[in-house]
Amino acid sequence: MSFQIRQNEEKRTIELNGHVGFDSLPDQLVSKSVAQGFSFNILCVGETGVGKSTLMNTLFNTTFENEEASHYGNKVHLHPQTYELQESNVNLKLTIVHTVGFGDQINREESFKPILEYIDTQFEKYLEEELKIKRSLFSCHDTRIHACLYFIAPSGHSLKSLDLVTMKKLDSKVNIIPVIAKADTVNRSELDKLKIKIMSELVSNGVQIYQFPTEDEAVAEINSSMNTHLPFAVVGSVENVKVGNKLVKARLYPWGSVQVENENHCDFVKLREMLVRVNMEDLREQTHARHYELYRRCKLEEMGFKDTDPDSKSFSLQETYEAKRKEFLTDLQRKEEEMRQMFVNKVKEAEAELKEKEKELHERFEQLKRMHQEEKKTLEEKRRNLEEEMNAFNRRKVAAETLMGQAVQGGSQPFKKDKDKKKFKMNFTKKDIHPCRTNIPFPFLSFCTVFMLCFIFLPFHIHFFYPFQSVFSHFIPLPVDLQIKQPEKPGMCLPSAWEKLPETVWT
């Protein structure tokens, strides 16, 4: 069965014959809305110390908890605070978002980015809740920004470049209501000129601020007149000052007082009327119907969803999903292939680097091996030379010991008479020792020669001669100064074993 729907079907109006009762729908809607409560979110943008917190306290006639901000922040932070307010039987969940550190940096080119990111994040949260299978849009807390109060400093005669850039970036995302803060620091004539200058700069730069609606006849007249007073010049104060016979909110000065709710002093009453008492619901509707729908449409178009034209084929969500899924899988495979190729290239580079290092290590090893072999050859040569020297020394030692043994055997025969012994006891001088100047017999000279050879070749064995001292004394009666002393320990060569000859011996 198919149904054909006729486009632009004519609507007919008929009359009722009696009371039905659906005229109570507005009352039902009001009762339901009151039972659910309302939410309203305000974004306060302005430099530190311009009076944002004071104005919020004055606007809602209470004191909100707020920490004093510093002028030395390195970037902009958004600090949201939510409060539960009740007036009569109406509950309002109010969220005030402060831009802490806005305009305090030296480089302020990107001061607006944290604000944009915060607004988009709230839209994203609402969109995620809307796209859920099991969603609860009526019970979830709506954190989308409904109104942006942009505070303009009264110093100067026009808008700063930071103000123009920020409002231009925000006008498509939020309802902007510009206000001149601390209007009591400017006189009335200068304030009127400043308002005209600000509005002309906003128009010339294409900044779209929130215009109070004039479609509803009930509020068309007041909204039209209030649009001409933009931007509002406001003064905030929570102090009650006695003026005349009544207490009013005002700021005291030496020259007088500025009453917050006096329309001749500032535009605070106009701002409160437009923002809270007349157009709060319109701000909520504009946020949902204009700014959020723009964000939602752009986001869905990025996801591949499109609206159907009257001449085009019907739109199928399943087909769109399948096409998008296929596109996603194709893109995923492409990225996987790119990652795999990148991994292979990285592995090849690492292997080439390792091979290069291995080659360097091998060359270094060969160099060290050659150096080791050269050092080994040098040490072997030195060892052979040392062994040859030791062998030569041992041969000389054996020859000397042989000669000494022969000399000892030849000199061990005792003399026949003691008088011959005494003949040879004498003191030697340089003259007596010289072989050409003495009459000593030749055998005695041979023995002395052997003795001197042993003395030359065996300097480290002084203790060897000690047992033969009694034998030598038969041939050479040595003086007491040349007697060999017995070493204190066996094998110890004492340099003091020989004493110097007296000076008279060699003279």
Side-chain angles (χ1 to χ4, degrees), residues 413-426 440-441 444 472-477:
Q413 298 177 1
F415 290 96
K416 295 181 179 180
K417 293 181 181 181
D418 295 336
K419 61 179 180 179
D420 296 335
K421 228 187 264 189
K422 295 178 181 179
K423 187 186 296 185
F424 294 97
K425 290 183 179 179
M426 58 185 173
I440 302 174
F444 182 76
F472 295 155
S473 62
H474 291 290
F475 302 95
I476 306 175

Side-chain angles (χ1 to χ4, degrees), residues 42-73:
I42 301 176
L43 173 65
C44 299
V45 181
E47 299 177 1
T48 305
V50 80
K52 301 186 292 295
S53 301
T54 304
L55 183 63
M56 289 295 103
N57 295 338
T58 309
L59 192 61
F60 290 94
N61 197 17
T62 186
T63 302
F64 298 111
E65 298 177 358
N66 191 24
E67 297 179 359
E68 186 176 354
S70 173
H71 289 269
Y72 304 102

Side-chain angles (χ1 to χ4, degrees), residues 263-280:
E263 296 188 28
N264 294 325
H265 293 177
C266 66
D267 298 332
F268 173 78
V269 175
K270 297 182 179 66
L271 174 65
R272 185 177 61 187
E273 287 288 329
M274 294 296 99
L275 180 65
V276 179
R277 299 182 179 179
V278 178
N279 298 301
M280 179 179 283

Side-chain angles (χ1 to χ4, degrees), residues 200-438:
S200 64
E201 287 184 351
L202 292 176
V203 173
S204 61
N205 288 277
V207 179
Q208 297 180 1
I209 62 175
Y210 176 74
Q211 295 289 327
F212 301 114
T214 57
E215 292 82 6
D216 189 358
E217 296 180 357
V219 295
E221 183 178 357
I222 186 173
N223 282 345
S224 298
S225 63
M226 290 301 170
N227 284 330
T228 60
H229 288 85
L230 290 173
F232 295 123
V234 298
V235 177
S237 177
V238 294
E239 297 179 0
N240 293 320
V241 179
K242 188 174 182 179
V243 178
N245 295 327
K246 59 181 180 178
L247 290 176
V248 295
K249 295 184 182 299
R251 300 181 70 90
L252 287 177
Y253 292 98
W255 45 265
S257 62
V258 177
Q259 299 179 21
V260 173
E261 297 180 348
N262 189 339
E263 296 188 28
N264 294 325
H265 293 177
C266 66
D267 298 332
F268 173 78
V269 175
K270 297 182 179 66
L271 174 65
R272 185 177 61 187
E273 287 288 329
M274 294 296 99
L275 180 65
V276 179
R277 299 182 179 179
V278 178
N279 298 301
M280 179 179 283
E281 181 59 28
D282 184 73
L283 288 169
R284 286 158 44 90
E285 290 179 0
Q286 286 290 326
T287 300
H288 181 78
R290 178 186 171 193
H291 302 296
Y292 171 70
E293 285 298 324
L294 177 62
Y295 175 84
R296 177 178 174 274
R297 183 182 66 196
C298 296
K299 204 69 176 177
L300 292 178
E301 288 178 355
E302 290 178 4
M303 296 171 63
F305 296 100
K306 297 179 181 178
D307 289 335
T308 57
D309 297 330
D311 300 333
S312 63
K313 296 181 180 180
S314 60
F315 174 76
S316 174
L317 183 63
Q318 182 67 23
E319 293 178 359
T320 303
Y321 170 76
E322 292 294 338
K324 195 68 179 178
R325 184 174 180 273
K326 184 177 180 181
E327 181 182 353
F328 173 77
L329 292 177
T330 304
D331 186 58
L332 182 62
Q333 291 177 357
R334 179 180 58 81
K335 290 183 178 180
E336 287 180 354
E337 186 63 28
E338 292 178 357
M339 292 295 292
R340 188 180 295 106
Q341 189 65 30
M342 186 183 301
F343 176 75
V344 171
N345 295 336
K346 290 288 185 181
V347 170
K348 290 182 179 179
E349 292 177 0
E351 288 180 352
E353 185 177 357
L354 289 175
K355 288 181 179 179
E356 185 68 22
K357 290 183 178 180
E358 184 180 1
K359 184 179 179 181
E360 293 178 359
L361 289 175
H362 184 70
E363 293 177 355
R364 179 64 176 169
F365 173 74
E366 292 295 333
Q367 182 181 1
L368 292 175
K369 187 177 179 180
R370 289 193 298 269
M371 293 174 61
H372 173 70
Q373 292 177 353
E374 293 176 359
E375 292 179 356
K376 186 177 180 180
K377 290 180 180 179
T378 304
L379 291 175
E380 288 290 338
E381 185 177 355
K382 289 183 179 180
R383 187 179 65 81
R384 288 193 298 269
N385 294 336
L386 183 60
E387 288 178 353
E388 292 176 359
E389 292 178 0
M390 290 176 64
N391 294 333
F393 177 77
N394 290 333
R395 288 194 297 271
R396 289 195 299 270
K397 179 180 177 182
V398 171
E401 289 177 351
T402 303
L403 290 176
M404 185 180 63
Q406 293 176 358
V408 170
Q409 291 177 1
S412 62
Q413 298 177 1
F415 290 96
K416 295 181 179 180
K417 293 181 181 181
D418 295 336
K419 61 179 180 179
D420 296 335
K421 228 187 264 189
K422 295 178 181 179
K423 187 186 296 185
F424 294 97
K425 290 183 179 179
M426 58 185 173
N427 291 328
F428 290 100
T429 63
K430 293 180 180 180
K431 179 180 179 181
D432 297 330
I433 294 173
H434 199 283
C436 299
R437 297 179 184 178
T438 181

